[in-house]
Amino acid sequence: MAITKQYLKSKPVCKVTFTVPAEEASKVYVVGDFNNWNPKKGTLRKLKNGTFKGTMDLPKEASYEFRYLIDDTYVNDAEADRYQWNDFAGAENAVLEL
């Protein structure tokens, strides 16, 4: 898994690209604070090599809890900036610092 951040000088946003290698998966979503944990707003596209990828413009100078939803299973990104316990989920969430 990988997270790429591209800060824009012209706007107060960061282009964040999420890449998830999941050849066997049929659907992968990124859900988090930035899309109200709604999978429909975080669909990642499957590439020919089996990797799922998507880019979002997120406001910078903020932090967001997030997870991947891979075929109905929640997974944290190993390359997240940090992890934070979430009582609602009863688990740790990955955190993205922008």
Side-chain angles (χ1 to χ4, degrees), residues 22-28 46 52 70-71:
E23 292 181 34
E24 305 299 319
S26 60
K27 295 179 278 184
V28 177
K46 189 168 190 173
F52 286 79
I70 303 173
D71 287 341

Side-chain angles (χ1 to χ4, degrees), residues 35-52:
N35 62 8
N36 294 319
W37 299 89
N38 184 343
K40 292 179 183 176
K41 294 181 179 179
T43 304
L44 300 182
R45 225 172 15 101
K46 189 168 190 173
L47 306 178
K48 290 180 182 178
N49 66 3
T51 299
F52 286 79

Side-chain angles (χ1 to χ4, degrees), residues 11-30:
K11 297 179 184 177
V13 299
C14 179
K15 283 191 170 298
V16 181
T17 302
F18 299 93
T19 306
V20 180
E23 292 181 34
E24 305 299 319
S26 60
K27 295 179 278 184
V28 177
Y29 306 96
V30 60

Side-chain angles (χ1 to χ4, degrees), residues 23-94:
E23 292 181 34
E24 305 299 319
S26 60
K27 295 179 278 184
V28 177
Y29 306 96
V30 60
V31 294
D33 295 338
F34 44 79
N35 62 8
N36 294 319
W37 299 89
N38 184 343
K40 292 179 183 176
K41 294 181 179 179
T43 304
L44 300 182
R45 225 172 15 101
K46 189 168 190 173
L47 306 178
K48 290 180 182 178
N49 66 3
T51 299
F52 286 79
K53 193 172 192 176
T55 302
M56 296 182 177
D57 289 350
L58 300 176
K60 47 186 187 178
E61 297 182 12
S63 62
Y64 304 95
E65 289 186 35
F66 76 99
R67 297 184 98 182
Y68 297 113
L69 183 57
I70 303 173
D71 287 341
D72 300 324
T73 302
Y74 286 98
V75 178
N76 277 330
D77 193 315
E79 295 184 27
D81 295 320
R82 62 184 174 89
Y83 299 96
Q84 181 170 312
W85 180 260
N86 184 293
D87 287 331
F88 182 77
E92 278 190 329
N93 287 336

